Amino acid sequence: MSLIVQKYGGSSVGNVTRIKRVAKKIVAKKREGNQLVVVVSAMADTTDDLVSLAEEITQRPSERELDMLLATGEQVSVSLLAMAIHQEGEKAVSFTGPQVGIITDPFHTKARILDINTDRIREVLRRGNIVIVAGFQGKTEGGEITTFGRGGSDLTAVALAKALQAKVCEIYTDVDGIYTADPRICPSARKLDQVSYDEILELASMGAQVMHSRSIEVGKKFNVPIVVKHSVRNGKGTLITKENRKMEEVVVSGVALNQNEAKVTIFKVPDKPGVAAKIFKRIADAHINVDMIIQNKTETKSTDISFTVAKSALHRSLDVVRKAAREVGAQHVSCDQNIAKVSVVGVGMRSHSGVASKMFGALAKNRINIEMISTSEIKISCVVGGNRGKAAVRAIHKEFGLGK
Ligand code: ADP
Ligand code: ASP
Ligand code: MG
């Protein structure tokens, strides 16, 4: 008997009809002789709606209370799915993340999993049940409810697959697998049969919403086989696996777009040692993740520093940065929410040159201005104007011949 972990995303359980359809699929898999642990996201736009409710009250909600609120979304979908499975004549029990012993660090809204005590899941499985687990949540050692960041149900699934030593972790979603670009933005995008952990990690970190980046970190570290498939249509999907030689021959495997970041600029920062360290220490102490950073020397005695953060962290970042700017004697702070970051990713970049010039050339041809640039071994990212992001993805995708 094999143990399989499956995960169904929000749109796959978006209404009762879909929940019933997913229940049938799960039951069929169980009747093939498998043990099943199923992770579920909140129904459709539930989490967005909960966030909006909080925003109607305050732009700076307590992160503890936000976690209390957001964790409720998944409790609705897991219980309904368990009921739908009962209707199909199988035994199923639903649990919240805290109930099944998913223990995290105390950082609300971006908690990391520290440990999973699988005793309860194993016991319930042994009694012939399908186990349904609420995605994206756990609890601290002290019993506080935490969530893992938007899209974090993927992390619950991969971490459970590792902890339970499952044969495979199947991620069911609303696309047929992982594509060379978001098919909603780039209609010519091509489905990949295989992708390496490193490539999907970069694509996900750079905004390809299809997988949560930390789920891939866990998958890579423990070599968990992950398959991404459509929740209704049959097909082989995309296998996420270790890098192999065939993959290296492909220079660029995908293009990603992130429209969820904002740029913060600190003007006229005194140009002397220790100033940047002081500013970014304040940001780090507030547990805010900074993405790209650039420094521009404008005149001899000062520089401008720009960096990007998640839009959801912008208000908190501005509070911290304005204070730090005053401390170091910088002139003023501004922000720009109208930006987009477009990235090309491919393990073949390690051994091939010319990717940057080709990418910049594609943007130039389409008269798209580059505001910031950053690179890693297998990735190049450019920040462009917010209303040019999608056009940039299509232009770059075409330039690298990634389409069908
Ligand atoms: P779920 O609710 O199942 O977790 P998500 O909305 O989080 O689904 O992720 C699936 C979506 O990710 C797709 O509908 C697609 O628009 C988007 N996406 C972005 N980049 C890619 C890509 N490279 N390949 C496939 N889908 C992508
Ligand atoms: N429901 C959460 C979200 O919308 C987690 C997830 O769907 O993975 O972000
Ligand atoms: Mg998702």
Side-chain angles (χ1 to χ4, degrees), residues 7 9-11 173-175 177-179 181-184 208-210:
K7 178 247 164 180
S11 58
T173 182
D174 60 357
V175 271
I178 295 168
Y179 282 69
D182 186 339
R184 286 194 224 186
Q209 187 190 342
V210 61

Side-chain angles (χ1 to χ4, degrees), residues 7-12 41-42 44 151 153-154 171-185 189-190 192 200 203 207-212 228 254-257:
K7 178 247 164 180
Y8 291 88
S11 58
S12 310
S41 294
S153 299
D154 299 328
I171 305 286
Y172 287 98
T173 182
D174 60 357
V175 271
D176 289 307
I178 295 168
Y179 282 69
T180 48
D182 186 339
R184 286 194 224 186
I185 295 172
R190 188 169 40 82
L192 301 164
I200 184 65
L203 283 170
Q209 187 190 342
V210 61
M211 286 296 291
H212 189 274
V228 180
V255 185
L257 177 66

Side-chain angles (χ1 to χ4, degrees), residues 13 23 69 91 96 99 104 134 150 154 208 223 323 381 391:
V13 291
L69 178 69
K91 296 203 290 179
T96 65
Q99 276 182 307
T104 75
R150 298 304 307 271
D154 299 328
N223 212 4
K323 209 162 152 220
S381 304

